[in-house]
Amino acid sequence: MSVTLGTPISSVMTNKRRVGALKSLGVLTVGDALTYYPFRVTDPVPLRSIREARIGEPMAFAAEVRAVRVSSSGARGNGRLEVVVDDSAFAASRRQPGAMARLVFFSHKKQYLDWMSGRLRQGTCVVVAGAPGVFNDQLQFTHPEVLTVGVHPTSRYRFVREENQPLDVRNASLGAPTSPRPDVESPEEGLARVCRPRPVYHASSRISSDHIHDSILDMLRLLAGSGDSAASTPDGAASNADGTGPNGSLTDAAANIPLSGLARAIPDILPERIRADKDLMHRAEAFLNIHDPVSTKEFHRAIATLRYEEAFVCQTALLQARAHAGRASAEPCPDVTLRDAMFASLPFSLTGGQREVIDSIAADMSRDHPMQRLLQGEVGSGKTVVALAAMLQAVGSGHQAVLVAPTQVLAEQHHRTITAMVDRMTEQVVSDSDGHPLSAPPVILLTGGMKLAARRRALATAASGEPCIVVATHAAFSKTFQAPNLALAVIDEQHRFGVEQRESLRGKALSGKAPHLLIMTATPIPRTAAMTWFGDLDISWLTELPGGRKPIRTFVIPEADGHLMGSMFAHIRQRIDAGERAYVVCARIDDSDESGEGDLLDDAMATESAQSARNGAAPPPRPLHTVVQIADRLAKLPQFQGVRFATLTGRDDDATKQQVMAGFASGETPILVATTVIEVGVDVPQASCMVVFDADRFGLSQLHQLRGRVGRGGTSSWAFLVSQAEPGSLGEQRLAVIRDTTDGSTIAEEDLRLRGAGDVLGDAQSGGKSSLKLLRVVKDAELIVDARERAEVLLAEDPELTGEVELAGAVLDFTRGNETYLTSS
């Protein structure tokens, strides 16, 4: 059958258990397998004779089998295969005396031992790679890699190679084959294979890194076989007559994967002139050198090639999306009467940053093509006022506006805030500048948890086309919601909504015109990351906090320090007695909550534990604190005698959440023990203390978000990060960042540096389906800028990429597979 990148792995692999294991890793197709990149590559294995062996250090040599013995022991019949090998011929080529060593294999499966002993018969020439050890004062290789050789040397070898240098192996004479089905045809071929750098993959209990590697190589071979063998070899990959590449290293022949056929099956995506100008590999050559590298240098060059390809495809897609959005039509909204009236009624002055953003939005909405703007603002920086200004501009121009929030609690909070601001506006400003009476636009709440009658009234008002502001949850994306006069859509916490949901708003208006789009987020986003994820949007930043807000003082509290913990609880009690409130955040609800509700750093913790294990000091994994446990523990403390507690988690229904938040806001239950459900949008001005247990297990951006829940009433505020992180650990470094700065951009940069792009914006932004697997938005900032500039030049010449068919297809695949990165299509 013809194999392509889209072929399911189940169609080309007969081992169903391995297919299942790969699917559990997200590898469903041949293309998925090729883009399941190794996270590192091993150093080349040096050639050494047995007498040159160094205990524990990998080595490779050729030898002849002298003796084979199979034995069994134990009640379960565990088997042991011992093979004695002699490297005299190989050692002579290195001017060393020959020696013997044992190769030992253990297994409880008799079939395996029979198979291995059948391969390693006496007199067989083998190539061995492994790390030697000592047992009973004898040199021993336990479960080494062994390749059988199809020929037996009758004279001697001539091996010329210094350690860590390209291998050049030749034999003087060869005899007759010793095995009917050898792994390799000659010692040279076998040594070339085992000495090459080996990629190492993230594996699982179901499949090892070696088996992943073997599977990917098999798929590369199938692809190469499906390609046209007459296809030309990519530039820079031509072979010399002796079988070496242009730099003298071994070519793809060592892996038996013809690069010419592979290039036919995997056409290049990058335009040829860009690839040549950047000195990048052909795409097929890059895949081959990642999964079967000739050298570590070529491995890293291949990674760099595909990293640039990712950046170029990503930026091309974003620029195309921006251009397509710019050609759409929208309703101009030039009237700012209501907006200015709202400004006049505010009991505070707008910050300079707010005014600048509001002016930019006003200019965008006055045009006849849709605004596409992302507003990133610090927690408490006044994004709601900016959003209301935009919505009043739309309503004042005779149209409708909708604000979509991710949760019912947040939607209800927005509805209360906006209704109060609109009511104050009409009370204090009775007429516009021309003397006309000023009437308040309706502010409608639409959520999935509303009673049927109220929901029907809200839907009817919106469907009438009457100019109004609709504050909604996901209900705004349903078919029952119609807003025929919709001119503006505001999306709060954008990464919680997909493109398909946002695009559904475009069909609400009867005119068929696209609404202006304002996207807001409090998640700190570095500018380089914003260019990568939101390059099709105009981006505004609100970094200036409104007047009256005091900086939040942050402290890291080691949980083992009982004195500090007691002082923290005493301080919280003082603030409670002063009429203030305190949040206590835990990652898990109870012992049955295995995954937790926080943005936890399990991968980072696992990596750190693995590093500790290698150093011989791996502590057992500690359990996370739960809401149930901490609420019970705190209620028993003498500091909190007479204080009522409440709990709030993601399992609670909307009615319970409303009741709990009402009790917290009123002071009836001044301490709220919760999961990170309070992270977004919860606004209780009296809250002055935030305690986060297991803080070292959270992402920095999420800790910054949680910290922003306090100090919103102008009072002094404190954040206590309770940690069990070891001194000098990655967790301690992480908390030092959040302790020492309140700048969201700096925190986001550090979060990206310490964790990678994959976790900063959560699964919706960077889940397993993302096509961005190699690009690092902080380290690769210059590369992204270069790719964007080159993509702009290319699109200026060929806007629809009619001359770059493969690139056009890759851009389409990227757009479909990364819909949460793009806000328009």
Side-chain angles (χ1 to χ4, degrees):
M1 62 176 290
S2 178
V3 179
T4 67
L5 294 177
T7 301
I9 60 172
S10 57
S11 300
V12 298
M13 294 181 64
T14 57
N15 188 328
K16 300 307 178 186
R17 291 182 62 184
R18 189 170 293 188
V19 169
L22 288 172
K23 285 185 176 180
S24 70
L25 297 175
V27 178
L28 305 179
T29 67
V30 173
D32 292 337
L34 267 58
T35 55
Y36 191 80
Y37 299 117
F39 64 91
R40 68 181 180 91
V41 64
T42 63
D43 292 328
V45 177
L47 289 178
R48 290 176 187 163
S49 67
I50 292 175
R51 288 191 179 275
E52 295 173 298
R54 302 172 190 171
I55 302 302
E57 293 187 13
M59 58 177 283
F61 61 96
E64 182 178 346
V65 176
R66 294 300 189 196
V68 181
R69 184 167 69 94
V70 179
S71 61
S72 61
S73 63
R76 297 185 179 182
N78 290 329
R80 171 188 176 98
L81 171 65
E82 291 187 18
V83 180
V84 178
V85 295
D86 180 354
D87 75 338
S88 296
F90 173 78
S93 70
R94 298 180 62 82
R95 298 179 179 86
Q96 292 286 332
M100 289 194 287
R102 285 186 304 178
L103 315 181
V104 182
F105 305 87
F106 299 95
S107 178
H108 65 276
K109 295 182 179 180
K110 183 176 182 299
Q111 300 95 320
Y112 170 76
L113 296 178
D114 289 345
W115 174 71
M116 284 296 293
S117 61
R119 292 177 64 223
L120 307 179
R121 298 194 302 267
Q122 185 174 352
T124 302
C125 181
V126 294
V127 167
V128 181
V134 176
F135 182 73
N136 287 340
D137 295 327
Q138 291 184 317
L139 197 68
Q140 176 175 295
F141 293 81
T142 304
H143 283 278
E145 180 179 5
V146 180
L147 301 177
T148 58
V149 180
V151 293
H152 187 282
T154 57
S155 177
R156 60 183 180 86
Y157 303 96
R158 182 165 63 86
F159 295 90
V160 183
R161 182 180 186 247
E162 297 297 328
E163 289 187 12
N164 300 320
Q165 295 299 316
L167 182 63
D168 181 11
V169 195
R170 303 175 183 85
N171 62 299
S173 61
L174 296 173
T178 62
S179 173
R181 300 186 64 181
D183 296 320
V184 291
E185 292 302 320
S186 67
E188 300 77 40
E189 181 184 344
L191 288 166
R193 184 182 298 185
V194 299
C195 287
R196 293 174 77 169
R198 186 73 58 90
V200 182
Y201 303 83
H202 285 293
S204 71
S205 60
R206 299 176 62 185
I207 186 169
S208 66
S209 175
D210 285 342
H211 285 165
I212 294 171
H213 185 217
D214 292 341
S215 300
I216 294 175
L217 289 183
D218 286 342
M219 292 179 208
L220 283 169
R221 292 187 184 94
L222 288 171
L223 280 170
S226 296
D228 183 359
S229 60
S232 60
T233 301
D235 293 341
S239 297
N240 299 325
D242 63 355
T244 60
N247 61 354
S249 61
L250 289 172
T251 67
D252 57 294
N256 297 320
I257 301 176
L259 186 53
S260 56
L262 196 63
R264 186 73 171 183
I266 309 175
D268 217 348
I269 287 177
L270 291 174
E272 176 61 30
R273 69 175 185 271
I274 291 177
R275 185 167 69 85
D277 189 42
K278 297 290 294 182
D279 189 29
L280 303 174
M281 292 179 173
H282 186 280
R283 192 169 194 241
E285 186 183 8
F287 278 129
L288 192 56
N289 276 283
I290 286 174
H291 297 296
D292 192 41
V294 173
S295 64
T296 54
K297 178 182 177 181
E298 292 301 283
F299 172 85
H300 292 298
R301 183 175 171 229
I303 289 289
T305 293
L306 294 183
R307 180 174 288 134
Y308 189 87
E309 178 189 283
E310 281 188 2
F312 194 84
V313 170
C314 166
Q315 295 305 308
T316 303
L318 291 168
L319 289 170
Q320 269 199 335
R322 185 183 184 115
H324 291 163
R327 290 195 290 269
S329 59
E331 293 288 355
C333 300
D335 195 324
V336 296
T337 303
L338 282 178
R339 185 204 72 176
D340 290 346
M342 186 267 289
F343 291 161
S345 69
L346 290 175
F348 53 84
S349 299
L350 296 175
T351 66
Q354 284 175 316
R355 290 188 176 279
E356 183 178 344
V357 172
I358 288 170
D359 290 344
S360 297
I361 290 172
D364 289 346
M365 292 180 61
S366 299
R367 303 187 180 99
D368 59 1
H369 60 268
M371 171 180 70
Q372 298 273 104
R373 186 170 290 278
L374 171 70
L375 175 60
Q376 195 278 321
E378 292 285 343
V379 176
S381 60
K383 297 185 298 298
T384 303
V385 172
V386 175
L388 179 56
M391 290 189 287
L392 289 175
Q393 185 171 336
V395 173
S397 300
H399 301 291
Q400 296 173 307
V402 60
L403 186 156
V404 187
T407 66
Q408 181 164 329
V409 170
L410 184 54
E412 290 171 345
Q413 181 174 293
H414 277 314
H415 181 256
R416 288 193 299 271
T417 302
I418 291 172
T419 300
M421 295 177 75
V422 169
D423 289 346
R424 183 172 56 243
M425 173 186 74
T426 52
E427 290 172 0
Q428 297 186 14
V429 184
V430 296
S431 62
D432 60 24
S433 57
D434 296 328
H436 300 118
L438 194 69
S439 59
V443 182
I444 303 167
L445 178 65
L446 178 63
T447 72
M450 295 174 66
K451 293 184 178 179
L452 183 59
R455 181 181 174 86
R456 284 177 173 172
R457 285 195 298 270
L459 290 171
T461 303
S464 71
E466 175 187 357
C468 61
I469 294 173
V470 180
V471 181
T473 57
H474 290 73
F477 303 122
S478 69
K479 293 181 180 179
T480 58
F481 173 68
Q482 295 298 321
N485 199 13
L486 183 64
L488 171 67
V490 180
I491 308 293
D492 195 10
E493 288 305 324
Q494 64 80 34
H495 62 278
R496 296 169 185 247
F497 301 102
V499 167
E500 290 181 358
Q501 291 174 312
R502 294 195 290 265
E503 287 297 303
S504 70
L505 295 174
R506 303 185 74 169
K508 304 294 183 182
L510 286 178
S511 64
K513 294 183 178 181
H516 299 284
L517 182 64
L518 176 63
I519 294 172
M520 303 193 300
T521 182
T523 303
I525 305 172
R527 291 176 186 260
T528 52
M531 186 171 63
T532 305
W533 287 317
F534 312 111
D536 57 333
L537 303 176
D538 295 309
I539 304 175
S540 298
W541 276 270
L542 277 180
T543 57
E544 183 181 356
L545 294 181
R549 289 292 299 270
K550 296 181 179 179
I552 303 169
R553 284 173 280 185
T554 304
F555 299 89
V556 177
I557 309 293
E559 190 169 356
D561 191 330
H563 177 72
L564 268 182
M565 292 286 288
S567 298
M568 175 185 74
F569 293 138
H571 173 81
I572 293 172
R573 178 58 188 260
Q574 290 176 359
R575 304 323 310 159
I576 297 299
D577 291 343
E580 296 169 11
R581 315 281 187 272
Y583 295 103
V584 179
V585 175
C586 304
R588 297 171 63 205
I589 301 173
D590 52 33
D591 290 335
S592 66
D593 180 17
E594 296 182 359
S595 59
E597 292 191 9
D599 177 21
L600 299 180
L601 298 175
D602 291 333
D603 289 342
M605 291 298 127
T607 300
E608 192 168 3
S609 295
Q611 291 171 349
S612 298
R614 285 192 292 270
N615 295 332
R622 56 182 171 83
L624 296 167
H625 292 300
T626 69
V627 169
V628 173
Q629 169 200 355
I630 291 298
D632 181 64
R633 172 179 159 187
L634 298 186
K636 295 177 180 178
L637 292 176
Q639 293 95 328
F640 297 124
Q641 290 300 310
V643 176
R644 293 186 61 189
F645 287 76
T647 62
L648 186 67
T649 73
R651 290 181 188 167
D652 297 325
D653 57 33
D654 289 331
T656 302
K657 289 178 181 176
Q658 293 173 29
Q659 182 180 356
V660 169
M661 289 308 303
F664 181 64
S666 68
E668 180 183 353
T669 51
I671 298 181
L672 179 61
V673 185
T675 60
T676 54
V677 69
I678 59 124
E679 172 191 359
V680 174
V682 175
D683 189 2
V684 178
Q686 298 88 349
S688 63
C689 295
M690 167 66 68
V691 180
V692 182
F693 278 89
D694 297 306
D696 53 300
R697 301 287 290 274
F698 287 85
L700 296 187
S701 293
Q702 188 171 46
L703 288 174
H704 183 60
Q705 288 263 64
L706 289 168
R707 179 170 59 182
R709 294 300 108 206
V710 298
R712 304 173 73 84
T715 61
S716 299
S717 53
W718 297 264
F720 301 101
L721 307 179
V722 181
S723 166
Q724 296 185 45
E726 295 292 330
S729 67
L730 188 61
E732 186 181 64
Q733 296 175 39
R734 206 178 282 117
L735 293 183
V737 173
I738 202 80
R739 179 195 63 206
D740 296 340
T741 181
T742 57
D743 185 288
S745 179
T746 300
I747 291 168
E749 293 281 353
E750 287 299 300
D751 213 1
L752 279 170
R753 183 181 67 82
L754 293 170
R755 301 178 58 186
D759 296 316
V760 174
L761 292 184
D763 291 339
Q765 271 313 121
S766 53
K769 294 183 178 180
S770 166
S771 294
L772 294 180
K773 298 183 177 182
L774 296 174
L775 200 62
R776 305 162 302 183
V777 293
V778 174
K779 293 183 179 179
D780 297 328
E782 293 183 5
L783 180 149
I784 294 169
V785 171
D786 181 89
R788 188 175 184 88
E789 292 174 350
R790 292 176 187 272
E792 286 174 341
V793 172
L794 177 65
L795 290 173
E797 301 170 354
D798 186 2
E800 299 302 322
L801 300 176
T802 54
E804 299 290 345
V805 177
E806 296 298 336
L807 176 60
V811 167
L812 181 61
D813 289 342
F814 176 87
T815 303
R816 288 171 175 168
N818 295 270
E819 61 175 22
T820 50
Y821 285 81
L822 306 175
T823 58
S824 59
S825 59

